[in-house]
Amino acid sequence: LMAIGHTPDWASSLAPAISPAGVVNAASFAGAASSPGSIVSVFGSFPLYAPVQAPGLPLPPSLAGVSVNFGGFPAPVFFAAGSQVNLQIPWELAGQPQATVTATGWGQSGATQTVNLAPFSPGIFSINGQGSGPGVIEDAAYRLVDSSNPAAPGSLVTIYCTGLGAVTNQPPTGSPAPVSPLAETTTRPIVLMGGAPAGVQFSGLAPGLAGVYQVNALVPAGSATGNAVPVTISMGGIASNTVTIAVQSAR
C-alpha cells in the first residue's frame, strides 16, 4: 500500500508548468508587462485532456480542476486547455509592479513565476486570434468591418481590445462590465488609423463582458483607404499591436 502522505510519481507529473515568459496579452501576445483587469493567455503544460470554456459570467476561479493564483488572488478563468489558460488579471493588483503566478491542477501546484505589471498593456483583438491582420472592429450597426463592409471616412467604429487600465465604476474581478453607468477609462487613448488620429468618442469596458474594452472612434477623413489600413491604440505612451481595418475611398 502507498505510504500515507507520499505523492506517487504519476501524480507529480500532473503538476502544471508555466512556460518561461509564458504570460502574455491575450490580444497582442506581447509579454513585456500586463495590466490589472486585462485578459492574458498563460502558456505552458496543464493536466487537461480536452479544452474547457467557462459556462458564463461571472467567471469561475477554476476550470476542470485547473486554477491560477495571480498575486495572491484566484484569477477568473475564461478558457483552459493542455497548453493554454486564458484568464483575467485581478483588478485588486492595481498599483503593484509585479505579481507571482502559480498554476494548480488536480491538487498539484507548479513552480511559481514572477511577472511584471503596468498600468497599461493595450492590445487589439484580431480576427485570426494572433494579434495581426484585420482587427475585431464593428460599425455602428454592430457589423464586422471587413473588405465586404468597409468603414467610411467620418463614420463611427468600435475597436475591441484589452489592457486599457483603470476605469470608473469598476466591476468586481471576473464579473461583466456595467451598462449604466458605463465603466470608462480614466486615461484617454490615442487611436491612429492609417497614421491619422481618430476622434475617440468613448473608451471603457465593453458592457456585459469581462476584461474586454471597447474604443469608439471616428474614422479620420485623412485616413488612408483600402482593405488593410493600419490601426493602433496607445495608452500612457504604450502602443498596442497593429491590426488593420478596411476603409472605403471618400465619395
Side-chain angles (χ1 to χ4, degrees):
L1 294 175
M2 182 171 57
I4 295 176
H6 174 72
T7 300
D9 293 338
W10 61 263
S12 62
S13 67
L14 296 175
I18 299 174
S19 300
V23 180
V24 300
N25 186 296
S28 67
F29 293 95
S34 303
S35 58
S38 69
I39 305 173
V40 294
S41 294
V42 181
F43 289 98
S45 177
F46 306 96
L48 289 171
Y49 296 110
V52 186
Q53 284 193 317
L57 295 173
L59 296 169
S62 67
L63 284 177
V66 171
S67 61
V68 178
N69 185 287
F70 215 108
F73 298 92
V77 183
F78 291 88
F79 167 87
S83 61
Q84 177 180 352
V85 174
N86 290 351
L87 54 85
Q88 183 186 27
I89 298 180
W91 287 108
E92 289 84 354
L93 295 175
Q96 301 296 316
Q98 293 182 321
T100 56
V101 184
T102 308
T104 300
W106 291 20
Q108 299 291 317
S109 294
T112 296
Q113 290 198 24
T114 300
V115 298
N116 293 323
L117 300 178
F120 311 110
S121 58
I124 305 174
F125 289 103
S126 63
I127 298 299
N128 65 12
Q130 302 299 312
S132 61
V136 180
I137 302 173
E138 294 180 339
D139 63 17
Y142 306 105
R143 298 174 302 179
L144 185 68
V145 175
D146 57 19
S147 58
S148 63
N149 180 42
S155 67
L156 186 70
V157 296
T158 298
I159 306 166
Y160 291 95
C161 46
T162 194
L164 301 193
V167 295
T168 61
N169 199 27
Q170 176 187 297
T173 295
S175 293
V179 175
S180 180
L182 295 168
E184 299 190 46
T185 59
T186 56
T187 298
R188 202 72 166 172
I190 296 173
V191 178
L192 295 179
M193 294 185 186
V200 174
Q201 305 297 296
F202 171 80
S203 172
L205 294 176
L209 301 179
V212 177
Y213 295 72
Q214 69 178 67
V215 175
N216 299 350
L218 297 173
V219 178
S223 171
T225 59
N227 291 334
V229 175
V231 179
T232 60
I233 293 176
S234 295
M235 291 290 288
I238 306 299
S240 72
N241 54 314
T242 299
V243 298
T244 62
I245 183 175
V247 179
Q248 68 186 32
S249 299
R251 294 173 180 174

